[in-house]
Amino acid sequence: EHLPFAMRSRSGVLLAFAAAAAAFAPAQLQQPRLSSATAPALLPARPLAATRPLVATRPARHAQPAMFLGVRKALISVPVLYVLMSLNEYATHRWYQHEEFNRNHAFNRFFQRLLSVLKNRPMRLPDGRANLVKLKGGGHVEHHAETYDDMSLKKDKRWRQTKAAASLDSDIARGTAFSWAVTGMMTVQMLPSALPVFALLG
């Protein structure tokens, strides 16, 4: 008897899916099964070491770095960081912003000698005075001179004609903010005191 057309169509679709599955199946799934009698003859001989059972080994786990200092170090770090910030702020404000570095003291003389060796910079001016190493304090001193006690700024003609007022004209913040160059300098200044402390804190 002839099968109905619908049943023949279903059978054809199933055969097509089966053929496609066999065609795209992994190679190891398509290999024929070998009987116990034919397997030794068909399979290549393996070295003796390869026939030994393999022992699964787990990769060694390294200890994860601690992401938290711990309660004790965290409590210690708060006052330590506060002291570090206070000391560096004091040094920056006094020696740089208020330009006390520019005076004739041991710290300045050290840099005078250092520049004399590295750049052959003279230690004395032609009139015999010490050739001080000078830094411009970012306009902070001039800002104080320009600011009244109520934080308003001097705008009179007499003040505007002074050298201090003219020096602030090139600064958009007029001495009230740090430039990127000054920020970089202060960051370098903090490294000798901050890095050893950070290393001790872990």
Side-chain angles (χ1 to χ4, degrees):
E1 296 179 359
H2 296 286
L3 295 173
F5 178 76
M7 293 185 65
R8 284 184 292 170
S9 299
R10 291 176 184 175
S11 300
V13 171
L14 291 175
L15 287 175
F17 276 117
F24 291 99
Q28 61 268 26
L29 297 180
Q30 298 179 15
Q31 292 179 355
R33 294 183 179 179
L34 301 177
S35 65
S36 58
T38 59
L42 296 178
L43 295 177
R46 292 185 297 174
L48 181 61
T51 62
R52 296 177 182 176
L54 299 177
V55 180
T57 58
R58 292 183 179 180
R61 291 185 177 182
H62 300 283
Q64 295 295 327
M67 301 302 293
F68 185 64
L69 294 176
V71 177
R72 183 179 179 182
K73 285 187 176 181
L75 292 176
I76 295 175
S77 65
V78 173
V80 169
L81 292 177
Y82 178 79
V83 171
L84 269 177
M85 292 173 61
S86 298
L87 291 176
N88 281 282
E89 193 276 337
Y90 173 80
T92 301
H93 192 249
R94 176 178 177 179
W95 297 97
Y96 172 71
Q97 289 184 291
H98 281 267
E99 301 180 358
E100 290 199 20
F101 174 82
N102 297 348
R103 298 181 181 181
N104 191 12
H105 45 66
F107 193 38
N108 195 291
R109 287 193 292 271
F110 167 78
F111 281 93
Q112 293 176 39
R113 295 188 183 93
L114 184 64
L115 292 175
S116 176
V117 173
L118 296 178
K119 294 188 175 182
N120 200 25
R121 183 177 183 272
M123 293 284 294
R124 295 282 175 180
L125 295 174
D127 59 4
R129 292 180 300 159
N131 190 10
L132 301 177
V133 179
K134 293 186 177 182
L135 298 174
K136 189 177 185 303
H140 187 73
V141 174
E142 292 81 357
H143 158 69
H144 277 296
E146 186 178 59
T147 308
Y148 290 111
D149 292 340
D150 61 357
M151 299 307 295
S152 61
L153 301 180
K154 297 177 182 178
K155 297 180 180 180
D156 57 277
K157 185 177 180 179
R158 181 180 178 183
W159 163 252
R160 294 294 302 156
Q161 292 176 345
T162 62
K163 185 178 179 180
S167 67
L168 291 175
D169 291 341
S170 59
D171 183 4
I172 190 173
R174 298 196 69 80
T176 60
F178 290 133
S179 63
W180 286 112
V182 174
T183 303
M185 185 191 70
M186 288 191 299
T187 302
V188 174
Q189 168 224 313
M190 293 177 64
L191 294 180
S193 59
L195 292 182
V197 176
F198 289 166
L200 290 175
L201 289 176

mmCIF file with all atom_site columns, all heavy atoms in Angstrom, residues 115-139:
data_model
loop_
_atom_site.group_PDB
_atom_site.id
_atom_site.type_symbol
_atom_site.label_atom_id
_atom_site.label_alt_id
_atom_site.label_comp_id
_atom_site.label_asym_id
_atom_site.label_entity_id
_atom_site.label_seq_id
_atom_site.pdbx_PDB_ins_code
_atom_site.Cartn_x
_atom_site.Cartn_y
_atom_site.Cartn_z
_atom_site.occupancy
_atom_site.B_iso_or_equiv
_atom_site.pdbx_formal_charge
_atom_site.auth_seq_id
_atom_site.auth_comp_id
_atom_site.auth_asym_id
_atom_site.auth_atom_id
_atom_site.pdbx_PDB_model_num
ATOM 1   N N   . LEU A 1 115 ? 73.160 74.181 42.254 1.00 0.00 ? 115 LEU A N   1
ATOM 2   C CA  . LEU A 1 115 ? 73.128 74.764 40.920 1.00 0.00 ? 115 LEU A CA  1
ATOM 3   C C   . LEU A 1 115 ? 74.502 75.242 40.476 1.00 0.00 ? 115 LEU A C   1
ATOM 4   O O   . LEU A 1 115 ? 74.807 75.271 39.278 1.00 0.00 ? 115 LEU A O   1
ATOM 5   C CB  . LEU A 1 115 ? 72.134 75.923 40.880 1.00 0.00 ? 115 LEU A CB  1
ATOM 6   C CG  . LEU A 1 115 ? 70.663 75.534 41.032 1.00 0.00 ? 115 LEU A CG  1
ATOM 7   C CD1 . LEU A 1 115 ? 69.792 76.777 41.099 1.00 0.00 ? 115 LEU A CD1 1
ATOM 8   C CD2 . LEU A 1 115 ? 70.224 74.639 39.882 1.00 0.00 ? 115 LEU A CD2 1
ATOM 9   N N   . SER A 1 116 ? 75.338 75.607 41.441 1.00 0.00 ? 116 SER A N   1
ATOM 10  C CA  . SER A 1 116 ? 76.702 76.000 41.096 1.00 0.00 ? 116 SER A CA  1
ATOM 11  C C   . SER A 1 116 ? 77.475 74.821 40.528 1.00 0.00 ? 116 SER A C   1
ATOM 12  O O   . SER A 1 116 ? 78.263 74.971 39.587 1.00 0.00 ? 116 SER A O   1
ATOM 13  C CB  . SER A 1 116 ? 77.420 76.555 42.332 1.00 0.00 ? 116 SER A CB  1
ATOM 14  O OG  . SER A 1 116 ? 78.763 76.860 42.045 1.00 0.00 ? 116 SER A OG  1
ATOM 15  N N   . VAL A 1 117 ? 77.228 73.627 41.086 1.00 0.00 ? 117 VAL A N   1
ATOM 16  C CA  . VAL A 1 117 ? 77.912 72.424 40.605 1.00 0.00 ? 117 VAL A CA  1
ATOM 17  C C   . VAL A 1 117 ? 77.312 71.931 39.296 1.00 0.00 ? 117 VAL A C   1
ATOM 18  O O   . VAL A 1 117 ? 78.029 71.594 38.350 1.00 0.00 ? 117 VAL A O   1
ATOM 19  C CB  . VAL A 1 117 ? 77.845 71.320 41.682 1.00 0.00 ? 117 VAL A CB  1
ATOM 20  C CG1 . VAL A 1 117 ? 78.409 69.998 41.138 1.00 0.00 ? 117 VAL A CG1 1
ATOM 21  C CG2 . VAL A 1 117 ? 78.597 71.744 42.931 1.00 0.00 ? 117 VAL A CG2 1
ATOM 22  N N   . LEU A 1 118 ? 75.980 71.902 39.210 1.00 0.00 ? 118 LEU A N   1
ATOM 23  C CA  . LEU A 1 118 ? 75.317 71.322 38.047 1.00 0.00 ? 118 LEU A CA  1
ATOM 24  C C   . LEU A 1 118 ? 75.299 72.241 36.840 1.00 0.00 ? 118 LEU A C   1
ATOM 25  O O   . LEU A 1 118 ? 75.475 71.792 35.702 1.00 0.00 ? 118 LEU A O   1
ATOM 26  C CB  . LEU A 1 118 ? 73.878 70.934 38.412 1.00 0.00 ? 118 LEU A CB  1
ATOM 27  C CG  . LEU A 1 118 ? 73.709 69.848 39.481 1.00 0.00 ? 118 LEU A CG  1
ATOM 28  C CD1 . LEU A 1 118 ? 72.232 69.603 39.761 1.00 0.00 ? 118 LEU A CD1 1
ATOM 29  C CD2 . LEU A 1 118 ? 74.398 68.557 39.069 1.00 0.00 ? 118 LEU A CD2 1
ATOM 30  N N   . LYS A 1 119 ? 75.108 73.551 37.071 1.00 0.00 ? 119 LYS A N   1
ATOM 31  C CA  . LYS A 1 119 ? 74.949 74.492 35.962 1.00 0.00 ? 119 LYS A CA  1
ATOM 32  C C   . LYS A 1 119 ? 75.959 75.624 35.979 1.00 0.00 ? 119 LYS A C   1
ATOM 33  O O   . LYS A 1 119 ? 75.806 76.594 35.232 1.00 0.00 ? 119 LYS A O   1
ATOM 34  C CB  . LYS A 1 119 ? 73.529 75.068 35.966 1.00 0.00 ? 119 LYS A CB  1
ATOM 35  C CG  . LYS A 1 119 ? 72.454 74.035 35.677 1.00 0.00 ? 119 LYS A CG  1
ATOM 36  C CD  . LYS A 1 119 ? 71.102 74.695 35.492 1.00 0.00 ? 119 LYS A CD  1
ATOM 37  C CE  . LYS A 1 119 ? 70.037 73.699 35.088 1.00 0.00 ? 119 LYS A CE  1
ATOM 38  N NZ  . LYS A 1 119 ? 68.726 74.352 34.851 1.00 0.00 ? 119 LYS A NZ  1
ATOM 39  N N   . ASN A 1 120 ? 76.959 75.512 36.846 1.00 0.00 ? 120 ASN A N   1
ATOM 40  C CA  . ASN A 1 120 ? 77.996 76.550 36.940 1.00 0.00 ? 120 ASN A CA  1
ATOM 41  C C   . ASN A 1 120 ? 77.383 77.915 37.223 1.00 0.00 ? 120 ASN A C   1
ATOM 42  O O   . ASN A 1 120 ? 77.814 78.945 36.691 1.00 0.00 ? 120 ASN A O   1
ATOM 43  C CB  . ASN A 1 120 ? 78.833 76.584 35.655 1.00 0.00 ? 120 ASN A CB  1
ATOM 44  C CG  . ASN A 1 120 ? 80.168 77.269 35.866 1.00 0.00 ? 120 ASN A CG  1
ATOM 45  O OD1 . ASN A 1 120 ? 80.690 77.311 36.986 1.00 0.00 ? 120 ASN A OD1 1
ATOM 46  N ND2 . ASN A 1 120 ? 80.736 77.805 34.797 1.00 0.00 ? 120 ASN A ND2 1
ATOM 47  N N   . ARG A 1 121 ? 76.354 77.935 38.053 1.00 0.00 ? 121 ARG A N   1
ATOM 48  C CA  . ARG A 1 121 ? 75.680 79.179 38.425 1.00 0.00 ? 121 ARG A CA  1
ATOM 49  C C   . ARG A 1 121 ? 76.520 79.885 39.480 1.00 0.00 ? 121 ARG A C   1
ATOM 50  O O   . ARG A 1 121 ? 76.916 79.282 40.482 1.00 0.00 ? 121 ARG A O   1
ATOM 51  C CB  . ARG A 1 121 ? 74.287 78.860 38.979 1.00 0.00 ? 121 ARG A CB  1
ATOM 52  C CG  . ARG A 1 121 ? 73.439 80.069 39.342 1.00 0.00 ? 121 ARG A CG  1
ATOM 53  C CD  . ARG A 1 121 ? 72.059 79.568 39.796 1.00 0.00 ? 121 ARG A CD  1
ATOM 54  N NE  . ARG A 1 121 ? 71.142 80.666 40.103 1.00 0.00 ? 121 ARG A NE  1
ATOM 55  C CZ  . ARG A 1 121 ? 71.036 81.251 41.295 1.00 0.00 ? 121 ARG A CZ  1
ATOM 56  N NH1 . ARG A 1 121 ? 71.801 80.857 42.306 1.00 0.00 ? 121 ARG A NH1 1
ATOM 57  N NH2 . ARG A 1 121 ? 70.181 82.239 41.484 1.00 0.00 ? 121 ARG A NH2 1
ATOM 58  N N   . PRO A 1 122 ? 76.805 81.187 39.317 1.00 0.00 ? 122 PRO A N   1
ATOM 59  C CA  . PRO A 1 122 ? 77.660 81.878 40.304 1.00 0.00 ? 122 PRO A CA  1
ATOM 60  C C   . PRO A 1 122 ? 76.988 81.970 41.665 1.00 0.00 ? 122 PRO A C   1
ATOM 61  O O   . PRO A 1 122 ? 75.778 82.150 41.774 1.00 0.00 ? 122 PRO A O   1
ATOM 62  C CB  . PRO A 1 122 ? 77.860 83.270 39.677 1.00 0.00 ? 122 PRO A CB  1
ATOM 63  C CG  . PRO A 1 122 ? 76.731 83.433 38.724 1.00 0.00 ? 122 PRO A CG  1
ATOM 64  C CD  . PRO A 1 122 ? 76.399 82.079 38.213 1.00 0.00 ? 122 PRO A CD  1
ATOM 65  N N   . MET A 1 123 ? 77.789 81.839 42.705 1.00 0.00 ? 123 MET A N   1
ATOM 66  C CA  . MET A 1 123 ? 77.278 81.912 44.070 1.00 0.00 ? 123 MET A CA  1
ATOM 67  C C   . MET A 1 123 ? 77.040 83.357 44.502 1.00 0.00 ? 123 MET A C   1
ATOM 68  O O   . MET A 1 123 ? 76.240 83.601 45.415 1.00 0.00 ? 123 MET A O   1
ATOM 69  C CB  . MET A 1 123 ? 78.267 81.248 45.033 1.00 0.00 ? 123 MET A CB  1
ATOM 70  C CG  . MET A 1 123 ? 78.423 79.744 44.854 1.00 0.00 ? 123 MET A CG  1
ATOM 71  S SD  . MET A 1 123 ? 77.024 78.830 45.534 1.00 0.00 ? 123 MET A SD  1
ATOM 72  C CE  . MET A 1 123 ? 77.212 79.175 47.280 1.00 0.00 ? 123 MET A CE  1
ATOM 73  N N   . ARG A 1 124 ? 77.727 84.315 43.837 1.00 0.00 ? 124 ARG A N   1
ATOM 74  C CA  . ARG A 1 124 ? 77.615 85.719 44.217 1.00 0.00 ? 124 ARG A CA  1
ATOM 75  C C   . ARG A 1 124 ? 77.245 86.575 43.026 1.00 0.00 ? 124 ARG A C   1
ATOM 76  O O   . ARG A 1 124 ? 77.606 86.277 41.880 1.00 0.00 ? 124 ARG A O   1
ATOM 77  C CB  . ARG A 1 124 ? 78.952 86.223 44.797 1.00 0.00 ? 124 ARG A CB  1
ATOM 78  C CG  . ARG A 1 124 ? 79.353 85.557 46.101 1.00 0.00 ? 124 ARG A CG  1
ATOM 79  C CD  . ARG A 1 124 ? 78.574 86.131 47.264 1.00 0.00 ? 124 ARG A CD  1
ATOM 80  N NE  . ARG A 1 124 ? 78.846 85.439 48.518 1.00 0.00 ? 124 ARG A NE  1
ATOM 81  C CZ  . ARG A 1 124 ? 78.280 85.769 49.675 1.00 0.00 ? 124 ARG A CZ  1
ATOM 82  N NH1 . ARG A 1 124 ? 77.438 86.790 49.726 1.00 0.00 ? 124 ARG A NH1 1
ATOM 83  N NH2 . ARG A 1 124 ? 78.568 85.088 50.769 1.00 0.00 ? 124 ARG A NH2 1
ATOM 84  N N   . LEU A 1 125 ? 76.512 87.638 43.303 1.00 0.00 ? 125 LEU A N   1
ATOM 85  C CA  . LEU A 1 125 ? 76.186 88.621 42.279 1.00 0.00 ? 125 LEU A CA  1
ATOM 86  C C   . LEU A 1 125 ? 77.373 89.558 42.089 1.00 0.00 ? 125 LEU A C   1
ATOM 87  O O   . LEU A 1 125 ? 78.296 89.590 42.928 1.00 0.00 ? 125 LEU A O   1
ATOM 88  C CB  . LEU A 1 125 ? 74.946 89.411 42.700 1.00 0.00 ? 125 LEU A CB  1
ATOM 89  C CG  . LEU A 1 125 ? 73.646 88.599 42.810 1.00 0.00 ? 125 LEU A CG  1
ATOM 90  C CD1 . LEU A 1 125 ? 72.527 89.480 43.378 1.00 0.00 ? 125 LEU A CD1 1
ATOM 91  C CD2 . LEU A 1 125 ? 73.242 88.020 41.460 1.00 0.00 ? 125 LEU A CD2 1
ATOM 92  N N   . PRO A 1 126 ? 77.410 90.346 41.017 1.00 0.00 ? 126 PRO A N   1
ATOM 93  C CA  . PRO A 1 126 ? 78.540 91.264 40.812 1.00 0.00 ? 126 PRO A CA  1
ATOM 94  C C   . PRO A 1 126 ? 78.768 92.236 41.954 1.00 0.00 ? 126 PRO A C   1
ATOM 95  O O   . PRO A 1 126 ? 79.914 92.652 42.205 1.00 0.00 ? 126 PRO A O   1
ATOM 96  C CB  . PRO A 1 126 ? 78.140 92.012 39.530 1.00 0.00 ? 126 PRO A CB  1
ATOM 97  C CG  . PRO A 1 126 ? 77.268 91.047 38.793 1.00 0.00 ? 126 PRO A CG  1
ATOM 98  C CD  . PRO A 1 126 ? 76.511 90.314 39.847 1.00 0.00 ? 126 PRO A CD  1
ATOM 99  N N   . ASP A 1 127 ? 77.702 92.595 42.706 1.00 0.00 ? 127 ASP A N   1
ATOM 100 C CA  . ASP A 1 127 ? 77.879 93.527 43.826 1.00 0.00 ? 127 ASP A CA  1
ATOM 101 C C   . ASP A 1 127 ? 78.256 92.820 45.127 1.00 0.00 ? 127 ASP A C   1
ATOM 102 O O   . ASP A 1 127 ? 78.347 93.454 46.182 1.00 0.00 ? 127 ASP A O   1
ATOM 103 C CB  . ASP A 1 127 ? 76.608 94.356 44.031 1.00 0.00 ? 127 ASP A CB  1
ATOM 104 C CG  . ASP A 1 127 ? 75.391 93.489 44.306 1.00 0.00 ? 127 ASP A CG  1
ATOM 105 O OD1 . ASP A 1 127 ? 75.530 92.250 44.416 1.00 0.00 ? 127 ASP A OD1 1
ATOM 106 O OD2 . ASP A 1 127 ? 74.285 94.047 44.403 1.00 0.00 ? 127 ASP A OD2 1
ATOM 107 N N   . GLY A 1 128 ? 78.463 91.511 45.083 1.00 0.00 ? 128 GLY A N   1
ATOM 108 C CA  . GLY A 1 128 ? 78.905 90.771 46.264 1.00 0.00 ? 128 GLY A CA  1
ATOM 109 C C   . GLY A 1 128 ? 77.790 90.105 47.049 1.00 0.00 ? 128 GLY A C   1
ATOM 110 O O   . GLY A 1 128 ? 78.065 89.317 47.962 1.00 0.00 ? 128 GLY A O   1
ATOM 111 N N   . ARG A 1 129 ? 76.547 90.400 46.746 1.00 0.00 ? 129 ARG A N   1
ATOM 112 C CA  . ARG A 1 129 ? 75.435 89.767 47.465 1.00 0.00 ? 129 ARG A CA  1
ATOM 113 C C   . ARG A 1 129 ? 75.266 88.317 47.029 1.00 0.00 ? 129 ARG A C   1
ATOM 114 O O   . ARG A 1 129 ? 75.688 87.924 45.938 1.00 0.00 ? 129 ARG A O   1
ATOM 115 C CB  . ARG A 1 129 ? 74.138 90.533 47.227 1.00 0.00 ? 129 ARG A CB  1
ATOM 116 C CG  . ARG A 1 129 ? 74.090 91.928 47.846 1.00 0.00 ? 129 ARG A CG  1
ATOM 117 C CD  . ARG A 1 129 ? 72.754 92.593 47.531 1.00 0.00 ? 129 ARG A CD  1
ATOM 118 N NE  . ARG A 1 129 ? 72.569 92.724 46.092 1.00 0.00 ? 129 ARG A NE  1
ATOM 119 C CZ  . ARG A 1 129 ? 71.382 92.886 45.523 1.00 0.00 ? 129 ARG A CZ  1
ATOM 120 N NH1 . ARG A 1 129 ? 70.280 92.934 46.247 1.00 0.00 ? 129 ARG A NH1 1
ATOM 121 N NH2 . ARG A 1 129 ? 71.305 93.014 44.192 1.00 0.00 ? 129 ARG A NH2 1
ATOM 122 N N   . ALA A 1 130 ? 74.634 87.538 47.910 1.00 0.00 ? 130 ALA A N   1
ATOM 123 C CA  . ALA A 1 130 ? 74.384 86.128 47.581 1.00 0.00 ? 130 ALA A CA  1
ATOM 124 C C   . ALA A 1 130 ? 73.410 86.031 46.406 1.00 0.00 ? 130 ALA A C   1
ATOM 125 O O   . ALA A 1 130 ? 72.421 86.769 46.340 1.00 0.00 ? 130 ALA A O   1
ATOM 126 C CB  . ALA A 1 130 ? 73.816 85.403 48.794 1.00 0.00 ? 130 ALA A CB  1
ATOM 127 N N   . ASN A 1 131 ? 73.719 85.137 45.495 1.00 0.00 ? 131 ASN A N   1
ATOM 128 C CA  . ASN A 1 131 ? 72.868 84.926 44.321 1.00 0.00 ? 131 ASN A CA  1
ATOM 129 C C   . ASN A 1 131 ? 71.747 83.950 44.698 1.00 0.00 ? 131 ASN A C   1
ATOM 130 O O   . ASN A 1 131 ? 71.827 82.741 44.465 1.00 0.00 ? 131 ASN A O   1
ATOM 131 C CB  . ASN A 1 131 ? 73.703 84.381 43.165 1.00 0.00 ? 131 ASN A CB  1
ATOM 132 C CG  . ASN A 1 131 ? 72.933 84.362 41.864 1.00 0.00 ? 131 ASN A CG  1
ATOM 133 O OD1 . ASN A 1 131 ? 71.841 84.912 41.767 1.00 0.00 ? 131 ASN A OD1 1
ATOM 134 N ND2 . ASN A 1 131 ? 73.503 83.718 40.854 1.00 0.00 ? 131 ASN A ND2 1
ATOM 135 N N   . LEU A 1 132 ? 70.696 84.481 45.302 1.00 0.00 ? 132 LEU A N   1
ATOM 136 C CA  . LEU A 1 132 ? 69.627 83.643 45.843 1.00 0.00 ? 132 LEU A CA  1
ATOM 137 C C   . LEU A 1 132 ? 68.869 82.925 44.731 1.00 0.00 ? 132 LEU A C   1
ATOM 138 O O   . LEU A 1 132 ? 68.669 83.463 43.645 1.00 0.00 ? 132 LEU A O   1
ATOM 139 C CB  . LEU A 1 132 ? 68.650 84.505 46.652 1.00 0.00 ? 132 LEU A CB  1
ATOM 140 C CG  . LEU A 1 132 ? 69.228 85.275 47.843 1.00 0.00 ? 132 LEU A CG  1
ATOM 141 C CD1 . LEU A 1 132 ? 68.134 86.136 48.480 1.00 0.00 ? 132 LEU A CD1 1
ATOM 142 C CD2 . LEU A 1 132 ? 69.806 84.302 48.869 1.00 0.00 ? 132 LEU A CD2 1
ATOM 143 N N   . VAL A 1 133 ? 68.443 81.700 45.047 1.00 0.00 ? 133 VAL A N   1
ATOM 144 C CA  . VAL A 1 133 ? 67.543 80.960 44.162 1.00 0.00 ? 133 VAL A CA  1
ATOM 145 C C   . VAL A 1 133 ? 66.123 81.411 44.505 1.00 0.00 ? 133 VAL A C   1
ATOM 146 O O   . VAL A 1 133 ? 65.696 81.323 45.661 1.00 0.00 ? 133 VAL A O   1
ATOM 147 C CB  . VAL A 1 133 ? 67.694 79.445 44.362 1.00 0.00 ? 133 VAL A CB  1
ATOM 148 C CG1 . VAL A 1 133 ? 66.737 78.685 43.442 1.00 0.00 ? 133 VAL A CG1 1
ATOM 149 C CG2 . VAL A 1 133 ? 69.132 79.015 44.111 1.00 0.00 ? 133 VAL A CG2 1
ATOM 150 N N   . LYS A 1 134 ? 65.399 81.900 43.514 1.00 0.00 ? 134 LYS A N   1
ATOM 151 C CA  . LYS A 1 134 ? 64.079 82.469 43.794 1.00 0.00 ? 134 LYS A CA  1
ATOM 152 C C   . LYS A 1 134 ? 62.990 81.728 43.020 1.00 0.00 ? 134 LYS A C   1
ATOM 153 O O   . LYS A 1 134 ? 63.178 81.341 41.869 1.00 0.00 ? 134 LYS A O   1
ATOM 154 C CB  . LYS A 1 134 ? 64.051 83.957 43.433 1.00 0.00 ? 134 LYS A CB  1
ATOM 155 C CG  . LYS A 1 134 ? 64.938 84.810 44.331 1.00 0.00 ? 134 LYS A CG  1
ATOM 156 C CD  . LYS A 1 134 ? 64.773 86.293 44.035 1.00 0.00 ? 134 LYS A CD  1
ATOM 157 C CE  . LYS A 1 134 ? 65.619 87.135 44.982 1.00 0.00 ? 134 LYS A CE  1
ATOM 158 N NZ  . LYS A 1 134 ? 65.438 88.597 44.741 1.00 0.00 ? 134 LYS A NZ  1
ATOM 159 N N   . LEU A 1 135 ? 61.879 81.546 43.708 1.00 0.00 ? 135 LEU A N   1
ATOM 160 C CA  . LEU A 1 135 ? 60.679 80.969 43.117 1.00 0.00 ? 135 LEU A CA  1
ATOM 161 C C   . LEU A 1 135 ? 59.553 81.992 43.183 1.00 0.00 ? 135 LEU A C   1
ATOM 162 O O   . LEU A 1 135 ? 59.464 82.757 44.145 1.00 0.00 ? 135 LEU A O   1
ATOM 163 C CB  . LEU A 1 135 ? 60.248 79.697 43.865 1.00 0.00 ? 135 LEU A CB  1
ATOM 164 C CG  . LEU A 1 135 ? 61.217 78.515 43.869 1.00 0.00 ? 135 LEU A CG  1
ATOM 165 C CD1 . LEU A 1 135 ? 60.680 77.416 44.765 1.00 0.00 ? 135 LEU A CD1 1
ATOM 166 C CD2 . LEU A 1 135 ? 61.446 77.989 42.464 1.00 0.00 ? 135 LEU A CD2 1
ATOM 167 N N   . LYS A 1 136 ? 58.710 81.979 42.160 1.00 0.00 ? 136 LYS A N   1
ATOM 168 C CA  . LYS A 1 136 ? 57.545 82.851 42.183 1.00 0.00 ? 136 LYS A CA  1
ATOM 169 C C   . LYS A 1 136 ? 56.407 82.097 42.866 1.00 0.00 ? 136 LYS A C   1
ATOM 170 O O   . LYS A 1 136 ? 56.043 81.003 42.452 1.00 0.00 ? 136 LYS A O   1
ATOM 171 C CB  . LYS A 1 136 ? 57.146 83.261 40.767 1.00 0.00 ? 136 LYS A CB  1
ATOM 172 C CG  . LYS A 1 136 ? 56.070 84.342 40.735 1.00 0.00 ? 136 LYS A CG  1
ATOM 173 C CD  . LYS A 1 136 ? 55.777 84.761 39.306 1.00 0.00 ? 136 LYS A CD  1
ATOM 174 C CE  . LYS A 1 136 ? 54.780 85.926 39.279 1.00 0.00 ? 136 LYS A CE  1
ATOM 175 N NZ  . LYS A 1 136 ? 53.509 85.633 39.968 1.00 0.00 ? 136 LYS A NZ  1
ATOM 176 N N   . GLY A 1 137 ? 55.870 82.661 43.909 1.00 0.00 ? 137 GLY A N   1
ATOM 177 C CA  . GLY A 1 137 ? 54.894 81.965 44.742 1.00 0.00 ? 137 GLY A CA  1
ATOM 178 C C   . GLY A 1 137 ? 53.490 81.895 44.208 1.00 0.00 ? 137 GLY A C   1
ATOM 179 O O   . GLY A 1 137 ? 52.538 81.840 44.990 1.00 0.00 ? 137 GLY A O   1
ATOM 180 N N   . GLY A 1 138 ? 53.319 81.899 42.901 1.00 0.00 ? 138 GLY A N   1
ATOM 181 C CA  . GLY A 1 138 ? 51.986 81.743 42.322 1.00 0.00 ? 138 GLY A CA  1
ATOM 182 C C   . GLY A 1 138 ? 51.077 82.948 42.522 1.00 0.00 ? 138 GLY A C   1
ATOM 183 O O   . GLY A 1 138 ? 49.863 82.834 42.375 1.00 0.00 ? 138 GLY A O   1
ATOM 184 N N   . GLY A 1 139 ? 51.628 84.107 42.887 1.00 0.00 ? 139 GLY A N   1
ATOM 185 C CA  . GLY A 1 139 ? 50.811 85.310 43.074 1.00 0.00 ? 139 GLY A CA  1
ATOM 186 C C   . GLY A 1 139 ? 50.089 85.373 44.407 1.00 0.00 ? 139 GLY A C   1
ATOM 187 O O   . GLY A 1 139 ? 49.226 86.240 44.610 1.00 0.00 ? 139 GLY A O   1
#
